[in-house]
């Protein structure tokens, strides 16, 4: 090792990049998770958060809860904030708070004044604070007046920090915070309105929260509420962090495995240069085990050096991203060193380095000294002892088991790892097929082309190394690019074209006929569809409470939180029955329900099973009469559950409506929005384009992180490619010298090498385009149930990138090879 690190820089870079990627992803995820856990009370708004949909707590429920500690109530709903003259409006996330809010955490406003003072009533007008986005959308400044429902509000400040915003879930619109008295004056809450009441409880010091959850659920079994404790303050965000970090870890592991090919190439090249030393060892009596031990120690030392550099980079990631995360999420990101995350990355790095180093080391063990003294021998052609092959295989299994053990969703992790293994196998077959085609190609007259084809299939050819190193990285890049492009196209164009222009929520039963008439006046020729809607929470399946069920991830979302439910006498026009029969229009027997087929089967339901739903504090058990195929991507009115009409006889409810205006422009949409908002101030109007834009922004942020991870894999592939080309330079020197001695010119050699690199690069790109397209199709069509579209631009870019990399790196090494003097090389032949 005193001879320096020549030949091992690629080795170090591959290990460093893979370890750094895994360490960084897991460290940042740990920082975010710790931040949520540390500020759990502030994020939740209390030690306990009890939420109910569409109803307030009953008197006995509230009395019981108030006896446990200090109580604060907030009411959340969506509504339209509009200018007093009716010229403009904006959807807003309204949050009405009481005088005790917030129990925990810090709420910041500009100007910095007590919240009670900012929201108080003055001269018959209540105050409000709003997110800066609401001021920007309506072109207002603090002190301006807006209308909310039947009330006029004075915007007295900007809301710059809301401690419990994460507990409320994803917000599509800017926050508007008012007092409970102002909400009552606005008249927005009517029977059946989509509203959530949240009760935050601060317990006396030393009081355990979890036993109280069981106590309250036991005392009020049919309350239908959702109770959360501070350790699960923002479950949706925490689940998203876990899933996303798992995905990025798998991508980082892929980069590390691709780097393993670089490790193998580097070890092969290094041992090839050490032929004379190994020959000397063996001539002086050293056994094969001694030779392997010497170089294994050296490789382990270098691997530990690369791992250490990667861990340092990964450990710095939380410090580099803390300020960005704090700006995006209201969570204190206290950067630190996370030993668990670093240990996992180090273990992955060490196992990968050993797995890929064992094979070239094993081939060296039994090579005789006489073979090593012949410089033209090929170490890779000698027999590999089965113990080394088994050792490498065992390490690969340990890496797989560790990845599965860490994964939250083991099915996704298993698919990812199996796909990677299959990709390696297919890439090896692709390399073999390229060589076979080159071997069987007809004899050509062009000398450069003939030399190029010979170089592709000859013993010790670069073809397997180049295809394997570059193929996986390009495949991952193609898949990510196609998925990203497909999602953007589907949501931004295709889905927007098929979707209705508006959703209208909280239309009261007494207003549905006047509402229809207003739509006919404002948008003649448009299509209005309206259905009754209530909110309910599934509390039991087949007679078993949901908290006692083990539900697969693909169906778990149905059981989280409240679901919209409806009733209908006839089968909805945008649905088709897949099993069972629809009930008669005049049905009056036991409650029946039609369940979405895909979600129902994911939950293990079948015809005749029962579903228990808590609606307005009352539990209703219905029997599954049929299953429907639902096209969620159509953005039409769809429900997981549609009940028979007699199920909710007499229950207060509102109506949900969609409006489709084919060919309507922005001006026509704005006229409808202004007209409906001014005539029906309590109705919430959602412009679908705005909602899709919000989703597209979220996808863009996620895609940036995924592209960065895929970029690490591609950079690793490029490093491996350069290492593979460098490893082949020894043979290239011999070829160039012999050919030049036989009369070949520098121009002929350059054209031969360029043609070889172009053929290998093009073949690799074709595989990457095909495999990446297949992976993207599976994700889009199989997992997301969205249409897949092939983008020729991605394919062309991949082809050009592959050619640029192979030809560029190949010629960079070739220039040096062509400059070698003939005499020293010829003496060794």
């Amino acid at each position: 090792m005193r001879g320096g690190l020549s030949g091992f820089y690629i080795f170090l870079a591959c290990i460093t990049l893979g370890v750094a990627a895994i360490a960084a992803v897991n460290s940042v995820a740990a920082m975010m998770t710790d931040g949520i856990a540390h500020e759990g009370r502030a994020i939740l708004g209390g030690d306990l958060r009890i939420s109910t949909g569409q109803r307030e707590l009953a008197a006995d429920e509230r009395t019981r809860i108030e006896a446990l500690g200090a109580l604060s109530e907030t009411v959340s709903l969506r509504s339209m904030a509009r200018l007093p003259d009716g010229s403009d409006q904006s959807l807003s996330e309204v949050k009405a708070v009481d005088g005790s809010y917030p129990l925990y955490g810090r709420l910041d406003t500009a100007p910095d004044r007590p919240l009670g003072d900012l929201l108080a009533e003055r001269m018959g007008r209540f105050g409000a604070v709003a997110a800066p986005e609401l001021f920007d959308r309506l072109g207002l400044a603090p002190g301006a007046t807006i209308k909310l429902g039947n009330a006029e509000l004075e915007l007295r400040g900007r809301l710059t920090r809301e401690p419990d915003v994460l507990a409320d879930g994803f917000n599509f619109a800017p926050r508007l915070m008012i007092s409970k008295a102002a909400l009552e004056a606005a008249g927005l809450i009517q029977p059946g309105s989509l509203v959530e009441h949240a009760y935050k409880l601060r317990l006396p010091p030393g009081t355990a929260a979890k036993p109280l959850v069981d106590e309250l659920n036991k005392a009020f079994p049919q309350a239908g509420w959702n109770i959360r404790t501070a350790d699960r303050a923002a479950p949706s965000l925490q689940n998203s962090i876990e899933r996303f970090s798992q995905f990025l870890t798998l991508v980082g592991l892929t980069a590390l495995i691709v780097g393993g090919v670089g490790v193998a190439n580097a070890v092969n090249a290094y041992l090839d240069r050490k032929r004379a030393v190994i020959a000397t060892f063996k001539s002086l009596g050293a056994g094969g085990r001694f030779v392997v031990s010497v170089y294994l120690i050296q490789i382990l030392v270098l691997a530990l050096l690369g791992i250490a550099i990667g861990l340092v980079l990964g450990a710095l990631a939380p410090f580099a991203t803390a300020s960005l995360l704090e700006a995006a999420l209201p969570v204190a990101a206290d950067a630190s060193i996370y030993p668990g995350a670093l240990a996992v990355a180090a273990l992955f790095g060490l196992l990968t380095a050993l797995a890929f180093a064992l094979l070239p080391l094993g081939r060296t063990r039994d090579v005789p000294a006489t073979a090593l003294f012949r410089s033209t021998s090929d170490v890779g052609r000698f027999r590999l002892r089965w113990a080394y092959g088994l050792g490498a295989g065992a390490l690969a299994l340990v890496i797989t088991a560790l990845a599965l053990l860490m994964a939250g969703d083991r099915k996704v992790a298993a698919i990812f790892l199996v796909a990677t293994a299959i990709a390696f196998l297919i890439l090896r077959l692709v390399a073999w097929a390229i060589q076979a085609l080159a071997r069987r190609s007809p004899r050509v007259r062009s000398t450069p082309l003939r030399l190029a084809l010979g170089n592709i299939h000859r013993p010790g050819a670069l073809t397997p190394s180049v295809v394997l190193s570059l193929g996986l990285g390009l495949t991952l890049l193609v898949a990510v690019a196609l998925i990203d492009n497909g999602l953007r196209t589907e949501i931004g164009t295709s889905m927007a074209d098929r979707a209705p222009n508006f959703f209208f929520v909280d239309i009261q039963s007494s207003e549905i006929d006047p509402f229809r008439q207003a739509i006919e006046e404002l948008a003649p020729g448009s299509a209005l569809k309206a259905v009754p809607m209530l909110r309910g929470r599934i509390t039991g399946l087949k007679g078993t409470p949901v908290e006692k069920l083990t539900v697969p991830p693909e169906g778990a979302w149905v059981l989280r939180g409240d679901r919209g439910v409806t009733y209908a006498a006839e089968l909805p026009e945008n649905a088709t029955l897949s099993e069972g029969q629809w009930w008669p229009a005049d049905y009056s027997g036991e409650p029946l329900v039609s369940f979405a087929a895909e979600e129902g089967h994911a939950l293990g339901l079948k015809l005749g099973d029962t579903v228990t739903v808590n609606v307005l504090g009352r539990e209703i058990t219905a029997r599954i009469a049929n299953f429907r195929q639902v096209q969620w991507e159509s953005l039409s009115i769809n429900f997981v559950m549609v009940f028979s009409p007699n199920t909710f006889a007499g229950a207060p409810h509102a109506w949900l409506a969609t409006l489709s205006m084919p060919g309507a422009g922005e001006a026509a949409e704005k006229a409808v929005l202004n007209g409906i908002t001014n005539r029906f101030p309590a109705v919430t109007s959602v412009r679908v384009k705005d909602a899709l834009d919000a989703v597209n922004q979220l996808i863009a942020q996620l895609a940036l992180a995924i592209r960065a991870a895929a970029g690490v894999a591609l950079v690793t592939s490029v490093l491996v490619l350069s290492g593979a080309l460098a490893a082949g330079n020894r043979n290239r020197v011999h070829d160039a010298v012999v050919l030049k001695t036989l009369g070949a010119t520098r121009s002929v050699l350059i054209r031969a090498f360029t043609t070889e690199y172009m053929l290998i690069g093009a073949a690799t790109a074709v595989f990457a385009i095909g495999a990446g397209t297949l992976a993207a199709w599976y994700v889009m069509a199989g997992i997301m149930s969205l249409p897949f579209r092939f983008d020729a631009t991605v394919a062309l870019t991949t082809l050009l990138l592959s050619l640029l990399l192979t030809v560029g790196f190949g010629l960079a090494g070739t220039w040096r090879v062509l400059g070698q003097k003939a005499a020293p090389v010829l003496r060794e032949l």
Side-chain angles (χ1 to χ4, degrees):
M1 290 189 64
R2 284 194 295 269
L5 298 179
S6 176
F8 276 104
Y9 291 110
I10 300 296
F11 177 105
L12 288 172
C14 290
I15 295 294
T16 297
L17 268 178
V19 170
I22 296 175
V25 167
N26 285 282
S27 293
V28 172
M31 177 181 66
M32 295 177 68
T33 303
D34 286 356
I36 293 173
H38 181 69
E39 296 192 24
R41 289 184 175 86
I43 293 171
L44 190 68
D47 297 291
L48 281 180
R49 183 183 189 273
I50 304 166
S51 60
T52 59
Q54 294 185 278
R55 75 174 187 92
E56 296 182 88
L57 289 178
D60 56 340
E61 295 170 341
R62 187 175 185 114
T63 300
R64 181 69 172 269
I65 292 171
E66 285 180 332
L68 299 176
L71 186 67
S72 174
E73 180 185 0
T74 61
V75 184
S76 302
L77 70 158
R78 291 188 177 98
S79 190
M80 306 302 294
R82 61 194 195 279
L83 298 180
D85 61 3
S87 59
D88 201 0
Q89 62 284 306
S90 171
L91 181 66
S92 63
E93 300 276 355
V94 179
K95 185 172 186 176
V97 302
D98 60 13
S100 302
Y101 177 85
L103 294 175
Y104 289 102
R106 188 182 82 250
L107 183 137
D108 294 338
T109 60
D112 185 11
R113 289 162 52 188
L115 183 62
D117 182 39
L118 293 171
L119 304 185
E121 183 181 10
R122 297 177 192 161
M123 302 175 62
R125 182 179 294 164
F126 289 97
V129 293
E133 293 83 3
L134 187 64
F135 286 91
D136 295 338
R137 288 187 185 185
L138 295 178
L140 302 175
T145 300
I146 62 171
K147 281 189 173 183
L148 183 72
N150 299 322
E152 278 198 356
L153 305 173
E154 181 184 355
L155 293 175
R156 295 176 184 160
R158 300 178 188 270
L159 181 61
T160 56
R161 180 185 176 89
E162 182 183 353
D164 57 341
V165 65
L166 294 180
D168 295 334
F170 181 72
N171 290 332
F172 277 102
R175 174 72 76 201
L176 176 63
M177 189 172 289
I178 60 176
S179 65
K180 288 187 64 182
L183 179 62
E184 185 176 348
L188 294 177
I189 300 181
Q190 301 292 331
S193 296
L194 292 182
V195 57
E196 182 185 60
H197 297 266
Y199 301 85
K200 291 79 177 280
L201 194 62
R202 183 172 60 202
L203 301 174
T207 304
K210 289 187 177 180
L212 294 179
V213 176
D214 297 331
E215 179 185 323
L216 289 171
N217 285 330
K218 186 176 180 180
F220 303 97
Q222 294 193 347
W225 52 32
N226 179 35
I227 305 181
R228 296 210 307 262
T229 54
D231 61 336
R232 294 294 288 173
S236 296
L237 177 62
Q238 287 168 288
N239 290 336
S240 298
I241 292 172
E242 291 170 5
R243 286 194 295 266
F244 201 55
S245 63
Q246 173 190 330
F247 173 75
L248 293 182
T249 298
L250 290 172
V251 175
L253 180 58
T254 303
L256 189 57
I257 293 173
V258 172
V261 180
V263 169
N265 289 339
V267 174
N268 258 326
Y270 181 75
L271 293 176
D272 186 56
R273 291 199 307 274
K274 291 293 182 180
R275 291 170 186 267
V277 176
I278 296 173
T280 304
F281 280 155
K282 292 198 171 185
S283 297
L284 296 175
R289 183 176 299 178
F290 175 83
V291 172
V292 170
S293 298
V294 168
Y295 291 106
L296 180 61
I297 292 171
Q298 183 174 354
I299 289 166
L300 283 174
V301 171
L302 291 170
L304 291 174
L305 176 61
I307 290 170
I309 298 171
L311 293 180
V312 170
L313 295 175
L316 293 175
F319 297 91
T321 59
S323 58
L324 297 175
L325 291 173
E326 281 190 338
L329 298 172
V331 177
D334 296 325
S336 181
I337 303 295
Y338 299 92
L342 300 181
V344 167
L347 186 56
F348 272 128
L350 184 60
L351 291 174
T352 303
L354 280 175
F356 282 91
L358 276 181
L359 296 179
L361 282 172
R363 291 192 181 95
T364 304
R365 189 188 196 284
D366 295 324
V367 178
T370 54
L372 288 168
F373 278 122
R374 292 195 297 269
S375 63
T376 57
S377 66
D378 183 6
V379 175
R381 295 176 60 187
F382 290 95
R383 181 177 60 87
L384 172 69
R385 288 201 176 194
W386 62 266
Y388 291 91
L390 286 179
L395 288 171
L397 290 176
V398 172
I399 293 171
T400 302
L402 183 60
L404 291 174
L405 185 65
M406 287 182 54
D409 189 336
R410 289 188 173 88
K411 180 180 177 182
V412 172
I415 292 173
F416 196 98
L417 292 170
V418 169
T420 302
I422 292 174
F424 264 86
L425 178 61
I426 294 176
L427 283 166
R428 190 66 187 87
L429 293 175
V430 168
W432 175 85
I434 294 172
Q435 290 182 297
L437 288 173
R439 189 178 298 112
R440 290 168 174 77
S441 63
R443 184 174 180 84
V444 293
R445 299 185 62 181
S446 169
T447 300
L449 181 56
R450 190 165 64 250
L451 289 173
L453 291 172
N455 285 338
I456 288 174
H457 68 77
R458 71 173 192 176
L462 292 174
T463 308
S465 296
V466 173
V467 172
L468 192 60
S469 59
L470 195 58
L472 202 57
L474 286 176
T475 299
L476 186 60
L477 195 68
V478 169
V480 168
L482 287 176
I483 292 170
D484 178 35
N485 181 73
L487 283 175
R488 289 173 181 270
T489 302
E490 176 64 19
I491 293 174
T493 305
S494 301
M495 194 176 288
D497 292 340
R498 298 193 307 267
N501 298 72
F502 289 100
F503 276 87
F504 298 105
V505 185
D506 280 349
I507 308 170
Q508 296 303 305
S509 295
S510 60
E511 296 179 331
I512 186 63
D513 291 332
F515 183 87
R516 293 179 190 274
Q517 185 177 354
I519 290 295
E520 289 180 4
E521 296 174 6
L522 295 168
S526 61
L528 179 71
K529 298 178 181 178
V531 297
M533 188 174 76
L534 303 90
R535 301 290 290 182
R537 181 189 303 274
I538 298 177
T539 58
L541 296 176
K542 297 186 280 190
T544 304
V546 293
E547 58 268 15
K548 296 182 180 179
L549 296 173
T550 301
V551 180
E554 55 268 24
W557 69 271
V558 179
L559 305 181
R560 286 196 295 267
D562 290 347
R563 297 260 72 79
V565 297
T566 189
Y567 60 85
E570 298 178 354
L571 176 68
E573 62 181 38
N574 59 346
T576 56
L577 287 183
S578 58
E579 294 181 63
Q581 300 293 324
W582 197 260
W583 44 80
D586 57 351
Y587 178 79
S588 59
E590 70 168 325
L592 298 178
V593 63
S594 172
F595 216 93
E598 183 177 350
E599 288 70 23
H601 294 151
L603 294 172
L605 299 174
K606 60 183 182 300
L607 292 178
D609 288 341
T610 59
V611 177
T612 302
V613 183
N614 190 290
V615 179
L616 298 174
R618 176 188 169 195
E619 289 204 343
I620 298 171
T621 299
R623 193 169 301 280
I624 297 178
N626 56 72
F627 288 101
R628 289 167 294 115
Q629 293 293 339
V630 178
Q631 295 180 343
W632 300 106
E633 67 274 13
S634 68
L635 293 188
S636 301
I637 300 179
N638 287 309
F639 294 88
V640 173
M641 295 172 288
V642 178
F643 289 83
S644 56
N646 61 316
T647 306
F648 301 117
H653 61 77
W655 287 70
L656 168 69
T658 62
L659 179 65
S660 297
M661 305 167 56
E666 294 253 351
E669 288 188 347
K670 186 172 183 179
V672 170
L673 189 58
N674 287 343
I676 292 298
T677 303
N678 292 323
R679 295 191 199 186
F680 304 93
V683 172
T684 302
S685 305
V686 180
R687 188 167 176 253
V688 173
K689 183 180 183 301
D690 295 335
L692 293 178
D693 287 344
V695 174
N696 254 332
Q697 290 176 7
L698 180 62
I699 290 175
Q701 294 170 358
L702 296 177
L704 181 63
I706 294 173
R707 283 178 174 178
V712 171
L714 184 61
V715 169
T716 305
S717 295
V718 172
L719 288 171
V720 175
L721 171 67
S722 62
L725 293 171
N729 278 345
R730 181 184 177 89
N731 289 331
R732 296 282 154 160
V733 169
H734 289 99
D735 292 347
V737 167
V738 170
L739 290 171
K740 286 167 68 177
T741 303
L742 295 175
T745 64
R746 182 184 291 261
S747 173
V748 169
L749 293 178
I750 289 177
R751 281 185 287 154
F753 290 145
T754 301
T755 304
E756 176 191 355
Y757 300 141
M758 288 185 67
L759 290 174
I760 298 175
T764 305
V766 169
F767 165 80
I769 293 168
T773 300
L774 183 63
W777 168 82
Y778 174 75
V779 171
M780 291 291 291
I783 297 178
M784 298 182 178
S785 298
L786 294 175
F788 171 75
R789 294 174 180 82
F790 179 74
D791 186 0
T793 304
V794 173
L796 182 61
T797 303
T798 303
L799 178 62
L800 293 176
L801 181 62
S802 179
L803 293 176
L804 180 65
L805 291 173
T806 51
V807 175
F809 279 101
L811 289 181
T814 300
W815 283 114
R816 187 170 61 85
V817 168
L818 294 179
Q820 292 285 333
K821 293 183 178 181
V825 177
L826 292 174
R827 290 192 196 103
E828 296 181 5
L829 294 177

